[in-house]
Amino acid sequence: MSGTTTPAVAIPGQTARGTGAAAPKSTASPWWADAAAVVGGGALVALHGSRLGQWVVDDAAITFAYARSVDEGLGPVQQAGAAPVEGYSNPAWLALLVAGRRLGLFDHRALFGVPDLVLYPKALGLLCVLGTLTAVACAARRLVARSWVVTALAGLLLGANVSFVAWTFSGLENPLYACVATVLAAVLVRAVTTGNLLGGGPAAASGLLALVAALTRPDGAVLAAVYPLLLLLTSRRAELWPRVRAAALGTAAFAVPYALFLAWRLAVFGRLVPNTAVAKSQEPPDAELFTRTTGELLTFAGWPAVLVAAALVGVALTRHGMPRTALAAVVLPLALTLCAYGVLEPDWMGMHRFATPVWPLGALALAVAAVGLAERGGPRPRAAVAVALSTTLLLSWSAQRESAAAFRAESTLPMCLVVNRDGVVFNTYADRLGVEDGSVLLPSLGGTLLTSDLKVYDLAGLTEPRIADALSAGDTEGLRAYAFRELRPTFVHAVGVWARKTGMTAPRLTAEGYLPLYRTADGGGDWVRADAVRHPERLGPLRAWARRVVPAAYESGRDRCGGVLRPGQTATRPSDRPTH
């Protein structure tokens, strides 16, 4: 199989040697120039990421809680005593967090006042950015003479993209997914340019990288189609069977271990998909949804930049002398990740969270096309490319400045806000009311799991299969019956959309025997089951305390929540302690 090769891509200014083509030392960028571009791009992304402060989105803290449980030998559970539920959708990222915790780098201490719960995932994100830009540099060295320009341009594009920066440093798996997708493109570019596309190494590597992507995010499984599609697009009749064998090897490298993983998932959790996918009610692909979702993404990127990028890539793919097959190895994963993004239900977290791999792949395709065309053209084409790029990218950057400022001012549901608002507050409720072996039903889970000594039930269904099934079926009455008849939580927290969506409204809670502890303007709030209150005389002072502390958590509790988070945290400042 590995003995059959495809012709090496001819690149002007390069000479063929053996089965591949390598840039002569006189024209190829020196390695240090590429390294400098990688470091510079990573520094730019880190600089913009630092403006988010200690923000980590609360959903990331759900995986943090699972990492704690796995490392402590409890298995894949959200907290001690809970049943195994796949309340995460990123096992590869979870594995990195477990490794960090085992090594003492995660969930142990604070460094310079910053908890390692924040530092470690952000450091992983930065390492993934450097890996992504290194993959860009490796691919570019195979396609153009001035590869450092491609890498620098990609770093600039990613550093200026608020969506990429925000989700890279959110604590979620996004940077790993983006890195794996870009590495896959670089592996296939190398395979094409060395004439080894049908070799066993590229076939197995493409399948295994797709496997890592699928274990990082469920939609990452689309990358398993990249290698077979590339073989199909470059097929020749004389090489039909070698291509079939190569495609079979690449598919098997993905499918066999992924099938074993699915069998394990079914045996442990009783589902073939993560419980999170059920809770989010992902619908089958829909053309209208795809058009609307991708349209919003491209509008965010800026239509002038999108049109210029599409034109440059289109010209590069059709112009004689350009490495078209190798460029297709970049465009294919870009197209597939864009399609995957388009068919996913819009994410409540905003800022195009599921589009993270689209940005580096798009930056690589645009930068290679622009630099490649400039190197192969005269002064006028070079000037035209430079003017078009600089003008449209400036417009795109200007359009994103407002979005970036708004996101920094009101970042999506910070982990610390949930720690201070839900974890600490409900621990204090239970402590003050003398509740033992209590439980709480609420929709904001991550920070609560890290700090609550109550049994936690997830109103959003991510870690509650019965609630996930009810939400997916639109059975709100069944959800309430399960909550009030079987779970019987000691405390309930439901506000805003979750109070309306689940019917956990004041009249229903009152009818079910719950007493208000804190009320919000929309009729939601915090409630306690009346028969769990041992000291009714404490309700008044506790309500007064909640009226003072809960609003303060929203105002000043978004960025700081302590150096080490452990179950049982309560209000520590004297001014926050409820009086008897």
Side-chain angles (χ1 to χ4, degrees):
M1 184 184 307
S2 60
T4 304
T5 59
T6 55
V9 176
I11 303 177
Q14 295 185 352
T15 59
R17 293 186 298 183
T19 61
K25 293 181 179 179
S26 60
T27 60
S29 298
W31 68 267
W32 56 262
D34 288 306
V38 168
V39 173
L44 180 62
V45 173
L47 175 63
H48 287 181
S50 68
R51 302 183 70 183
L52 295 170
Q54 294 189 28
W55 171 74
V56 166
V57 72
D58 185 65
D59 266 34
I62 299 175
T63 311
F64 297 176
Y66 273 92
R68 176 184 290 176
S69 295
V70 172
D71 184 50
E72 292 180 350
L74 303 176
V77 298
Q78 64 174 4
Q79 61 182 158
V85 177
E86 194 175 6
Y88 55 91
S89 56
N90 49 7
W93 186 250
L94 172 64
L96 293 179
L97 297 179
V98 172
R101 196 174 194 276
R102 181 57 55 90
L103 294 171
L105 303 174
F106 178 65
D107 194 24
H108 283 283
R109 62 185 63 82
L111 298 175
F112 307 108
V114 182
D116 56 11
L117 278 168
V118 172
L119 283 175
Y120 181 73
K122 287 181 181 287
L124 284 181
L126 181 57
L127 287 176
C128 288
V129 170
L130 295 175
T132 297
L133 291 174
T134 299
V136 168
C138 290
R141 289 185 71 84
R142 295 279 171 177
L143 300 176
V144 298
R146 297 171 180 83
S147 55
W148 70 270
V149 178
V150 171
T151 308
L153 180 56
L156 179 63
L157 290 169
L158 296 178
N161 188 311
V162 61
S163 172
F164 180 82
V165 172
W167 296 116
T168 289
F169 297 109
S170 66
L172 287 168
E173 69 282 350
N174 297 59
L176 179 60
Y177 184 19
C179 181
V180 171
T182 312
V183 170
L184 173 60
V187 166
L188 293 179
V189 166
R190 184 181 188 280
V192 170
T193 56
T194 58
N196 193 34
L197 184 59
L198 304 188
S206 66
L208 293 175
L209 285 167
L211 173 68
V212 176
L215 296 179
T216 303
R217 274 206 50 79
D219 45 298
V222 298
L223 293 178
V226 172
Y227 183 65
L229 284 175
L230 186 61
L231 292 176
L232 180 63
L233 288 176
T234 60
S235 64
R236 298 175 179 83
R237 183 175 299 178
E239 297 177 339
L240 177 60
W241 288 114
R243 288 176 184 274
V244 170
R245 290 196 299 269
L249 175 59
T251 301
F254 167 80
V256 172
Y258 194 60
L260 293 175
F261 170 75
L262 292 180
W264 174 83
R265 170 185 278 165
L266 184 62
V268 174
F269 304 115
R271 296 187 188 274
L272 281 174
V273 297
N275 193 67
T276 56
V278 179
K280 294 178 180 179
S281 306
Q282 174 63 45
E283 297 293 332
D286 178 81
E288 181 181 353
L289 173 64
F290 176 81
T291 302
R292 183 176 72 253
T293 305
T294 53
E296 291 173 354
L297 180 67
L298 299 180
T299 299
F300 171 81
W303 279 105
V306 170
L307 294 175
V308 168
L312 289 173
V313 173
V315 171
L317 286 170
T318 57
R319 182 170 175 178
H320 179 71
M322 286 292 291
R324 290 174 290 184
T325 304
L327 191 55
V330 177
V331 174
L332 272 175
L334 169 61
L336 288 173
T337 52
L338 181 60
C339 288
Y341 172 79
V343 300
L344 291 173
E345 289 292 330
D347 183 51
W348 68 271
M349 296 188 202
M351 201 55 71
H352 307 288
R353 176 166 74 99
F354 296 146
T356 306
V358 173
W359 305 125
L361 290 170
L364 174 57
L366 170 59
V368 164
V371 174
L373 290 172
E375 288 181 348
R376 290 159 176 81
R380 288 186 179 181
R382 292 178 185 176
V385 169
V387 170
L389 269 181
S390 58
T391 301
T392 55
L393 295 180
L394 180 61
L395 290 173
S396 177
W397 175 74
S398 299
Q400 287 191 33
R401 287 185 64 188
E402 185 175 343
S403 297
F407 191 86
R408 287 194 297 269
E410 196 72 23
S411 301
T412 303
L413 192 57
M415 174 186 72
C416 279
L417 173 60
V418 176
V419 167
N420 292 317
R421 166 61 181 93
D422 295 336
V424 169
V425 165
F426 280 95
N427 282 347
T428 306
Y429 286 158
D431 182 62
R432 180 63 182 88
L433 293 174
V435 171
E436 297 180 359
D437 299 322
S439 57
V440 59
L441 174 67
L442 77 180
S444 301
L445 200 62
T448 306
L449 289 174
L450 292 174
T451 53
S452 183
D453 55 2
L454 300 168
K455 187 171 184 178
V456 179
Y457 300 123
D458 181 16
L459 185 59
L462 299 180
T463 62
E464 275 294 329
R466 294 274 296 276
I467 292 180
D469 291 336
L471 289 171
S472 179
D475 182 13
T476 56
E477 188 56 45
L479 184 156
R480 291 189 294 271
Y482 171 65
F484 294 130
R485 303 292 175 265
E486 298 187 43
L487 297 181
R488 288 184 53 78
T490 310
F491 300 97
V492 174
H493 167 67
V495 297
V497 65
W498 284 108
R500 297 189 297 272
K501 185 175 182 177
T502 61
M504 295 286 178
T505 57
R508 183 60 185 263
L509 286 162
T510 300
E512 295 291 344
Y514 283 81
L515 302 174
L517 293 173
Y518 176 78
R519 300 291 295 270
T520 57
D522 59 9
D526 303 340
W527 302 74
V528 62
R529 204 175 69 237
D531 60 10
V533 178
R534 296 182 178 182
H535 306 282
E537 71 279 3
R538 297 181 180 178
L539 286 173
L542 191 59
R543 287 167 176 156
W545 172 83
R547 285 194 297 270
R548 176 168 50 85
V549 170
V550 172
Y554 285 107
E555 295 174 4
S556 59
R558 303 176 65 89
D559 300 322
R560 299 288 188 275
C561 49
V564 180
L565 303 183
R566 292 290 182 266
Q569 284 188 212
T570 57
T572 56
R573 291 180 301 174
S575 60
D576 288 343
R577 294 174 187 155
T579 57
H580 288 262

